[in-house]
Amino acid sequence: METVTIKDIAKALNLSTSTVSRALRGSYEINAETKRLVMEYAEKVNYSPNPIALSLKENKSRAIGVIVPEIANNFFSQAINGIEDVANKRGYHVVIFQSHESYQREITNIQHIIARKVDGLLISLSGQTNDVSHLQEIQLKKLPLVLFDRVSDKIDAHKVVADNFDGAFKATEHLILSGRRRIAHITSPSLLSITKERLMGYQAALEKYQIPYDESLVKYCGFEPEEAKNLIFNLINEQKPDAIFTTSDRLALDCFSAVKEQEILIPEELSFIGFTNLKVAHLLAPSLSTIVQPAFEIGQTAAELLLDSIERKQNNIEQFRTIKIPTEMVVRKSSEI
């Protein structure tokens, strides 16, 4: 079977090769109808881009770098799926690194990524990252950059996040409307943007229903399961909450397990809701109520922003955007009224 080339597609559709090439990359310069015609024909004839030829022709690697705290985290694995979905369709490869929640490792990852001469970088910050000068240096090198999920307000760049405030507000309001008043909030390290945004949503819901904010019911937790377990044991014995709202899938599982170990009835004695992308939430006993993060869509959106930045000619006048993707509340038995 002969390999179909861009020239073949251009000849069949009576278009220039440059128009077909840009349409296949999803370039903003090509109108939607032309893109549709090119993509449909390319699919019909099983066209597959040659990344080596493209990189030589365009003086680009046709690869993007991705740094996440941990691939094993279901949220990040789904976000990577979304990134790869977009990148592959547009003829790019994805190079993935893990920071393992380490600021120093994040810096080392970036050094490796730059050495690989990728065309752009997607990053979700580690739990230790406060100084973002390493990212500002990337921008000085004119390397396109997009932050997703865990971002920083100390840097001007494209950012893609879940609507953390609204999700946390909905979770807390749901617990309040089910009759709960001593609602504990178990959350991530205070440096993270998601921690701050979800805490604000939690506080706003309490304020709306005139429930005093009790700082002793808010607990910050690191990344070790044993830390979460001990925190829950102390919280239950000392503060006696009637509901718990956790802020990540890791904390949701660790805290849920600790509560069950205490033989506390859920939801009769303690309501429980997570903020998570956990795929097994419905399999827990009782099934776990949760705010679902659209991880795949966040990954797709972040990749589209990055690739558009890479392919746009006038990078110097680009307007940075922060895109918030809506969350969804799924109520199950752990918080039923």
Side-chain angles (χ1 to χ4, degrees):
M1 182 180 294
E2 289 189 14
T3 302
V4 177
T5 67
I6 287 177
K7 286 183 178 180
D8 296 328
I9 298 174
K11 183 177 180 181
L13 298 178
N14 197 26
L15 297 170
S16 69
T17 55
S18 61
T19 296
V20 172
S21 178
R22 289 196 294 268
L24 289 169
R25 296 198 308 270
S27 172
Y28 72 101
E29 298 172 302
I30 306 301
N31 68 55
E33 179 61 17
T34 301
K35 285 182 188 177
R36 184 187 66 78
L37 288 171
V38 171
M39 296 304 293
E40 285 183 358
Y41 186 81
E43 185 176 353
K44 177 182 175 182
V45 297
N46 296 318
Y47 169 76
S48 178
N50 184 330
I52 296 174
L54 286 171
S55 65
L56 290 171
K57 179 180 178 181
E58 300 176 6
N59 195 27
K60 293 180 179 179
S61 66
R62 306 294 298 183
I64 58 173
V66 178
I67 301 176
V68 296
E70 184 183 26
I71 294 174
N73 181 306
N74 188 65
F75 171 84
F76 291 116
S77 66
Q78 289 299 308
I80 288 170
N81 285 343
I83 291 167
E84 290 187 322
D85 177 68
V86 169
N88 290 340
K89 287 177 180 176
R90 292 177 63 166
Y92 286 78
H93 295 289
V94 179
V95 183
I96 302 166
F97 289 82
Q98 300 181 81
S99 67
H100 292 289
E101 304 292 359
S102 165
Y103 171 67
Q104 288 302 325
R105 190 155 182 173
E106 184 174 285
I107 291 174
T108 301
N109 287 342
I110 286 175
Q111 291 170 346
H112 284 302
I113 279 175
I114 291 174
R116 285 174 175 255
K117 299 189 182 301
V118 298
D119 296 331
L121 173 65
L122 290 163
I123 185 169
S124 188
L125 301 178
S126 83
Q128 296 179 352
T129 300
N130 188 32
D131 178 6
V132 294
S133 57
H134 56 309
L135 300 180
Q136 291 164 337
E137 288 175 13
I138 283 178
Q139 291 182 313
L140 290 175
K141 296 178 187 292
K142 304 298 182 184
L143 185 71
L145 170 70
V146 174
L147 283 70
F148 70 98
D149 186 50
R150 300 179 183 185
V151 302
S152 172
D153 57 8
K154 297 179 181 179
I155 186 168
D156 289 327
H158 287 312
K159 299 165 188 174
V160 181
V161 296
D163 194 337
N164 293 299
F165 178 94
D166 183 65
F169 182 93
K170 288 186 293 191
T172 309
E173 181 178 54
H174 165 67
L175 294 172
I176 293 170
L177 294 177
S178 70
R180 309 296 172 162
R181 289 297 179 270
R182 288 191 58 75
I183 301 169
H185 181 39
I186 315 300
T187 190
S188 308
S190 59
L191 283 178
L192 295 176
S193 58
I194 58 172
T195 301
K196 298 169 186 175
E197 292 164 4
R198 293 170 192 176
L199 177 60
M200 289 171 62
Y202 164 81
Q203 291 173 320
L206 294 178
E207 183 178 352
K208 177 180 177 180
Y209 293 93
Q210 300 180 332
I211 298 174
Y213 172 63
D214 185 346
E215 196 171 341
S216 69
L217 288 171
V218 177
K219 302 295 181 182
Y220 299 91
C221 188
F223 300 101
E224 296 299 324
E226 199 62 31
E227 181 182 352
K229 179 186 265 190
N230 292 333
L231 186 152
I232 283 289
F233 289 164
N234 293 333
L235 176 72
I236 290 171
N237 292 329
E238 295 173 10
Q239 305 303 327
K240 303 190 184 307
D242 57 14
I244 291 177
F245 163 41
T246 64
T247 197
S248 72
D249 29 0
R250 174 186 55 82
L251 283 173
L253 280 180
D254 292 341
C255 293
F256 199 81
S257 174
V259 169
K260 299 267 293 186
E261 195 171 316
Q262 291 276 295
E263 297 184 348
I264 294 171
L265 297 177
I266 303 173
E268 291 84 355
E269 298 176 272
L270 189 71
S271 282
F272 203 103
I273 188 167
F275 199 121
T276 174
N277 202 54
L278 207 61
K279 292 294 186 183
V280 297
H282 66 291
L283 299 177
L284 299 176
S287 54
L288 176 64
S289 296
T290 187
I291 301 295
V292 180
Q293 292 171 272
F296 187 83
E297 186 179 352
I298 287 173
Q300 285 183 312
T301 305
E304 291 283 8
L305 270 179
L306 182 66
L307 297 182
D308 287 347
S309 294
I310 291 169
E311 295 173 357
R312 187 170 289 122
K313 301 291 185 184
Q314 301 102 345
N315 281 319
N316 57 325
I317 61 170
E318 184 171 7
Q319 195 75 26
F320 292 125
R321 303 167 60 196
T322 295
I323 298 177
K324 289 186 179 181
I325 310 294
T327 59
E328 176 190 2
M329 183 167 67
V330 179
V331 176
R332 300 189 179 96
K333 292 183 179 179
S334 70
S335 67
E336 284 184 344
I337 300 173

